[in-house]
Structure formats: structure tokens, C-alpha cells
Amino acid sequence: MSFQKGNANRQRSQKHKNGTIYKPDKHGLDKERQTTMKQLEFPGLCERCETQLRWKISYDKYKPLTGDPRRCERCDNKRITRAYYSCCIPCGESLKLCCKCLSKLEIDNR
């Protein structure tokens, strides 16, 4: 087993290998939705969070927010209209926080 105490070396190769590259059109994802997802902008995020969301979009893991807006963790108003955001964009800009991970950052004016 690979998790034995004191056994740092694994005896076998990786069990599940990715043999092929992910293709978003393989399972019938419509082109219109695919192009709109790629054109999404993420204001008020740090580089790390933005690359995470770009990865989710490219591998078809991004789930947009549906229904009513969510509540902001800073001002407690229902202003969050984007998926994966924790605070609203005005709070993030005023407090200089990333709106997803709530870490301090310098926000670029895009």
C-alpha cells in the first residue's frame, strides 16, 4: 500500500491516468453557451482566484449562479450576482479585498 507508515516509495504506477485531452464539444455542449462562458470577466478577483475560475470554465466545471442574489459577507445585503463570490464588488473595491477568497490585494482597474 502507498500509505504505509515509513514507506515513502510507491510500488506501482498511478492508477487512473488521463490518456486523452478534455474536449468540451465531446458531450454536446452548445457553442453559444461555450462562447459566452469564455467571454466572462471576473472583476474584483486576485490572480489566483481568476485562474481557478478560468480552469473551471475550460473544463466545463463552472456553474453560474441561478435564482436570487446571494448575501454579501461584509455588508449583509443581497448584492452578489456572480457564482463563487463571497462579498459584493463594491465592498471588495472599498476594502481592497478579493471578492472570492477575501484576501487583501491591489485591484487593477480593468
Side-chain angles (χ1 to χ4, degrees):
M1 287 191 344
S2 62
F3 296 111
Q4 290 175 347
K5 283 189 177 181
N7 186 7
N9 296 329
R10 178 177 238 169
Q11 302 297 326
R12 60 174 175 78
S13 64
Q14 183 178 351
K15 196 173 206 176
H16 301 287
K17 295 181 182 177
N18 294 331
T20 58
I21 298 173
Y22 176 77
K23 296 175 188 162
D25 341 359
K26 182 178 180 181
H27 300 291
L29 182 66
D30 56 343
K31 297 283 185 188
E32 190 175 306
R33 179 175 161 231
Q34 192 175 3
T35 54
T36 56
M37 294 293 257
K38 285 186 179 178
Q39 293 174 352
L40 277 178
E41 292 185 13
F42 300 106
L45 295 183
C46 62
E47 283 184 42
R48 181 173 179 261
C49 293
E50 189 167 348
T51 55
Q52 285 176 354
L53 292 182
R54 290 281 168 219
W55 181 89
K56 282 180 183 270
I57 287 173
S58 64
Y59 285 91
D60 199 24
K61 302 287 184 185
Y62 183 84
K63 304 288 187 250
L65 187 66
T66 58
D68 294 335
R70 288 185 23 224
R71 194 171 295 278
C72 174
E73 289 186 11
R74 298 293 171 172
C75 64
D76 289 332
N77 292 329
K78 287 194 171 186
R79 287 193 200 167
I80 301 176
T81 56
R82 295 175 172 266
Y84 305 104
Y85 277 48
S86 299
C87 74
C88 59
I89 295 171
C91 287
E93 287 176 352
S94 65
L95 298 171
K96 296 189 186 258
L97 295 174
C98 172
C99 293
K100 183 175 179 277
C101 65
L102 301 176
S103 64
K104 295 272 185 194
L105 76 134
E106 294 296 323
I107 297 177
D108 303 348
N109 292 332
R110 295 183 205 184

